[in-house]
Every structure is written in C-alpha cells, then in structure tokens.
Amino acid sequence: MRKHNVDEINLTIDDIKMSEYYIFFSWSSDIGYGQYSIFYDKETGKWSADTEYMDSDEDKAFGRKLFDLLMDKVKID
C-alpha cells in the first residue's frame, strides 16, 4: 500500500536527462527529493526502473505522475 498519495505531496520535476537508453527525473516534494531512473535494454527491448522505492511491483502511480508533470510542460505546436 502506498504511504503517500502522489496527488497530495506537491511533486515537482527539477530536472530531466534523456537519451536513447534512459530517462532520469530529478524530483522534489513535501516528502523529500530523489531520482526516478528509467532504463531501456536494447538487447531485450524491455524497460526497467530504479524508483528509490517510490513505486513497487504493479504500483506505478509515482512514475505516472512524473510523466503527467512532464506533459504539463510540453507545448503542442
């Protein structure tokens, strides 16, 4: 069970680094700060993540919220 609701912790993205094989979100919130790292394995074609225990198993609410915040920054032309 999730300790904190991601919609109630004032989550913000401080920095994003991306390449063809990874996405690194540096984040901060009322509960602290950290890095959410997503990696692509070209050989297997699979994505994996190191979430610093912010998500687990099928609970991906924290990662989904980060992508929502990223999309809020996107300008549609």
Side-chain angles (χ1 to χ4, degrees):
M1 185 166 157
R2 179 165 296 283
K3 190 173 185 178
H4 301 281
N5 182 329
V6 296
D7 293 320
E8 297 174 354
I9 61 170
N10 296 315
L11 182 61
T12 60
I13 296 172
D14 300 322
D15 191 33
I16 302 170
K17 292 184 172 98
M18 290 188 242
S19 83
E20 160 177 25
Y21 301 109
Y22 65 79
I23 304 169
F24 295 153
F25 290 96
S26 295
W27 60 268
S28 58
S29 72
D30 294 341
I31 62 170
Y33 60 92
Q35 185 165 308
Y36 195 103
S37 306
I38 302 170
F39 304 94
Y40 179 69
D41 184 330
K42 187 176 179 180
E43 289 185 20
T44 64
K46 294 183 180 181
W47 289 90
S48 61
D50 176 359
T51 70
E52 297 182 331
Y53 301 104
M54 299 313 291
D55 283 335
S56 62
D57 298 321
E58 294 303 313
D59 178 4
K60 301 173 188 168
F62 198 88
R64 289 181 201 285
K65 182 66 174 184
L66 288 171
F67 277 98
D68 282 347
L69 292 171
L70 172 60
M71 287 307 298
D72 288 346
K73 295 177 182 239
V74 172
K75 179 182 177 212
I76 306 295
D77 293 327

